[in-house]
Amino acid sequence: DSDMMDFPILLRKAQEGSLEATECLLMMYMPMIEKYARLDGAIDEDMRQHLIVCFLLALRKFQTDS
């Protein structure tokens, strides 16, 4: 996608508080989040929300080399 930023830049902006960058990263990982939120073939909404919260918390803690 031409408007997709470089991943490290996107990560840094999300860590600095950019809601747009955070949303972009979340959308990148949403297919995997939804894959692991499935129970018997259907999305378990509680698990989906839990995984999203874990993802957002992990964004804050993720260390970069810069």
Side-chain angles (χ1 to χ4, degrees):
D1 193 27
S2 59
D3 61 346
M4 176 74 65
M5 292 185 218
D6 229 15
F7 185 83
I9 295 169
L10 207 52
L11 180 60
R12 181 179 47 80
K13 288 182 177 284
Q15 289 178 327
E16 291 172 352
S18 167
L19 294 178
E20 184 179 12
T22 301
E23 182 181 11
C24 188
L25 286 169
L26 183 59
M27 290 303 103
M28 286 171 60
Y29 283 89
M30 191 56 74
M32 183 170 42
I33 288 170
E34 291 190 348
K35 174 184 174 183
Y36 289 106
R38 288 195 175 276
L39 182 63
D40 297 326
I43 297 277
D44 180 314
E45 191 58 35
D46 289 336
M47 178 58 77
R48 181 179 176 273
Q49 290 179 17
H50 175 75
L51 291 171
I52 290 170
V53 168
C54 289
F55 176 85
L56 295 174
L57 291 173
L59 271 182
R60 291 187 190 170
K61 296 179 184 179
F62 192 81
Q63 297 295 312
T64 59
D65 293 335
S66 53

